[in-house]
Amino acid sequence: MSKWTGGFEFLMAMQEIRLDSTQYPLAGGRPSTGRLSSGVFGSTARRSGHSIAGTAAPQSRLHAALIFLFLMLLGIPWVIHIGSVRMSPYRILLCLAFLPCFVWWVRGKAGGIKAADIAVVSFSSWIGLSLVSTAGPGGLQSAGITMLETLTPYLLARCCIRGASDFRLFSKALFYLVMLMLPLIAIETLTGWKATLRLFAVFLPTYGDVVMPQRVGLWRAQGAFDHPILLGLVCSTAFSLAYLVVGYGRTLFRKGLLAAIVAMAVTCALSSGPILGVLLQCLLIGWKRVADKVGLRVVWIVTIAVLLSAQLVCWITNRSLLDVTISRLTFDPLSYWFRNIIWQYGWLSALNHPWFGVGLGEWERPSWMPGSIDNVWLYFAVKHGLPALALLGASFAFCLATVGWKQGLDRRHREYRCAYLVSIISCMLVGLTVHFWDGAYVLLMFLLGSGLWIADVEPASADVEQPLRTRLRTGYRTSGGARRPVNPPAR
């Protein structure tokens, strides 16, 4: 028996999701076959028949609604002033969701408390402490907003994304956001007219226009965000999720079409960092595909050999590998050299203020340098001290380790894990060249918490492939608890 989630007919119509009533225990349905049909471009994927904690459809209508509503609000550029506080639709949702999500997390509704959770809570708390310590009572407002945008989206993802279908719903909603924005940002790229901001400004004030010089004869689209870089970052986050999660079970052409839509949206921002992020995700996905075919050890040996060879050439030419790579892949090579100068002065400022940073104050730099720090890692070190940098790094490291070391996953979960890991690694590396703030930062923290459900998945009893080396040695592969010949005899 199919059930539609009330109030979200548009979402379900686009997804064409038909969920069995057993997936919604609150609705009082009876058990059924566990079939899941979905697809923007029409395809069907089936869950494996075994019982796994991470394979259920969205736990409740409330969780599905929160996931969808949160992502859609990111694409609304309204600016709402409440007193001296600048609010936006997604900030209002975060204010309303903080207490319930925190209670759910404490009560174990998001699974067991993990090391990554402690690291994120500690990171958020240290930010608040640093702002109050450096700015006194005047820093309370900034501390509250920053802690809200750091902790709440992470907990929201931890509580609402508890299975593979939840993760798929998140990926689809993010893809739909990018797809809906694409026509307007394409107009902006071609004409320079801020189509998205003008449309929403009919009702309420929006972000101010950011007019930047053309690149390759096109305008940099700002979309629904405060800066073109943020548009690129938000869209690039959806690339591997669209290809591996939304496109799971579909033909290569359809998966490529989904990824191409995201890539076009990223290109409209004409920002080097997000475009490099998409290229990096393609490289990582290809790396994994090769590793699945020939073995992880072989690919690692080849990868390390190539990197060492490239580094040797750079030593001979007296240039670093990072300098050679990024300086040739950016729209403006001078921007990379300027980021090097920011790194030098920013790191000196972080060393001069190692504990709490400069807070809301100015960091030490020449008078001709702007105050922006185009490096998310350096930003937190300068503004909130070296402990903030260490805790942020620990948050990412714990998430990657917790999910990456999970064993006994079936094929679907392995693909979803790959999408999560690739997205996180891409954001970490792109963050060396850009800063995440506002909607992009909130989405980053949501993404960070969106994959930890994989650690709670019970070992699969089917579709778990043995490594290639083992299959070649034994002549059998194990799947579904049975031994099957790798090359069965012809009948």
Side-chain angles (χ1 to χ4, degrees):
M1 178 178 180
S2 302
K3 289 183 179 293
W4 296 89
T5 54
F8 286 91
E9 289 82 2
F10 172 75
L11 170 63
M12 296 308 178
M14 294 189 71
Q15 294 183 98
E16 299 179 5
I17 289 183
R18 296 186 293 276
L19 297 174
D20 298 310
S21 49
T22 184
Q23 307 299 338
Y24 290 105
L26 297 180
R30 55 187 177 83
S32 58
T33 60
R35 183 176 60 192
L36 174 66
S37 300
S38 62
V40 180
F41 300 103
S43 69
T44 301
R46 291 177 180 270
R47 296 188 296 114
S48 55
H50 53 277
S51 176
I52 293 182
T55 57
Q59 290 184 1
S60 70
R61 297 176 180 178
L62 175 61
H63 287 179
L66 286 174
I67 294 171
F68 180 71
L69 183 61
F70 167 75
L71 291 171
M72 292 302 107
L73 290 181
L74 286 180
I76 298 179
W78 287 332
V79 176
I80 305 168
H81 289 278
I82 302 178
S84 60
V85 180
R86 191 198 73 176
M87 298 296 288
S88 54
Y90 74 82
R91 280 185 176 177
I92 295 175
L93 176 64
L94 294 180
C95 289
L96 297 175
F98 171 72
L99 187 58
C101 289
F102 186 79
V103 172
W104 289 340
W105 174 68
V106 171
R107 297 180 60 185
K109 300 298 183 181
I113 296 178
K114 297 174 172 48
D117 300 342
I118 302 302
V120 173
V121 172
S122 301
F123 170 64
S124 174
S125 302
W126 189 270
I127 289 177
L129 179 62
S130 69
L131 288 171
V132 174
S133 299
T134 56
L140 287 174
Q141 178 177 306
S142 296
I145 290 294
T146 307
M147 293 176 67
L148 178 75
E149 292 188 339
T150 299
L151 185 58
T152 309
Y154 176 84
L155 293 180
L156 183 64
R158 290 280 285 115
C159 294
C160 292
I161 301 181
R162 298 303 308 146
S165 295
D166 293 320
F167 191 68
R168 185 177 178 86
L169 175 61
F170 157 57
S171 302
K172 283 189 172 183
L174 182 57
F175 172 77
Y176 293 146
L177 173 63
V178 174
M179 187 171 62
L180 290 173
M181 291 192 301
L182 182 57
L184 294 179
I185 61 178
I187 292 173
E188 186 176 348
T189 300
L190 296 174
T191 66
W193 183 62
K194 305 289 184 179
T196 306
L197 297 181
R198 296 296 173 269
L199 177 64
F200 283 95
V202 174
F203 305 99
L204 287 172
T206 60
Y207 295 115
D209 293 358
V210 176
V211 181
M212 306 185 73
Q214 286 184 311
R215 288 180 172 177
V216 296
L218 299 172
W219 298 96
R220 300 184 62 183
Q222 181 180 349
F225 302 95
D226 197 22
H227 195 279
I229 289 178
L230 299 183
L231 171 65
L233 291 174
V234 169
C235 294
S236 66
T237 303
F239 183 81
S240 62
L241 298 176
Y243 185 80
L244 295 174
V245 180
V246 182
Y248 178 77
R250 298 176 180 175
T251 64
L252 182 61
F253 173 77
R254 289 175 175 173
K255 294 169 68 173
L257 182 58
L258 294 171
I261 291 174
V262 176
M264 285 189 292
V266 175
T267 306
C268 288
L270 293 174
S271 180
S272 303
I275 293 176
L276 287 176
V278 169
L279 295 177
L280 177 62
Q281 291 178 62
C282 292
L283 181 63
L284 291 174
I285 293 173
W287 188 92
K288 182 184 182 297
R289 290 290 186 259
V290 174
D292 290 340
K293 295 294 183 181
V294 303
L296 187 60
R297 179 179 298 180
V298 175
V299 175
W300 267 119
I301 292 174
V302 174
T303 302
I304 294 174
V306 171
L307 292 177
L308 290 178
S309 301
Q311 186 62 54
L312 179 61
V313 173
C314 292
W315 282 337
I316 295 174
T317 59
N318 198 25
R319 298 186 66 185
S320 73
L321 180 60
L322 188 62
D323 290 344
V324 173
T325 303
I326 298 183
S327 63
R328 296 185 180 277
L329 293 177
T330 55
F331 286 102
D332 183 6
L334 291 178
S335 65
Y336 175 68
W337 301 111
F338 187 72
R339 282 174 168 82
N340 276 340
I341 298 175
I342 292 177
W343 171 263
Q344 294 171 12
Y345 284 100
W347 187 246
L348 287 176
S349 176
L351 294 178
N352 291 332
H353 307 275
W355 289 105
F356 297 115
V358 298
L360 300 178
E362 292 291 332
W363 56 286
E364 295 88 348
R365 65 188 188 278
S367 58
W368 50 267
M369 283 184 63
S372 62
I373 302 177
D374 297 328
N375 185 320
V376 68
W377 304 96
L378 182 62
Y379 174 86
F380 284 107
V382 171
K383 292 294 185 178
H384 307 293
L386 297 179
L389 173 63
L391 290 171
L392 179 60
S395 301
F396 278 87
F398 284 135
C399 287
L400 291 176
T402 302
V403 175
W405 289 342
K406 177 66 178 180
Q407 301 295 320
L409 299 178
D410 62 16
R411 182 173 179 270
R412 181 189 186 193
H413 288 85
R414 292 197 301 270
E415 288 290 281
Y416 286 14
R417 176 176 64 181
C418 178
Y420 172 76
L421 296 178
V422 167
S423 295
I424 293 296
I425 293 173
S426 173
C427 289
M428 292 175 65
L429 296 179
V430 170
L432 293 171
T433 62
V434 297
H435 176 48
F436 290 75
W437 76 97
D438 280 354
Y441 177 69
V442 169
L443 179 60
L444 174 64
M445 298 309 299
F446 188 90
L447 175 67
L448 192 64
S450 67
L452 288 174
W453 61 272
I454 297 174
D456 298 325
V457 174
E458 297 177 4
S461 59
D463 193 28
V464 179
E465 291 284 346
Q466 288 181 322
L468 177 63
R469 180 180 58 187
T470 304
R471 299 203 304 269
L472 292 177
R473 184 177 69 247
T474 62
Y476 289 87
R477 65 161 54 94
T478 301
S479 180
R483 300 179 71 201
R484 297 184 290 107
V486 176
N487 296 306
R491 294 183 181 274

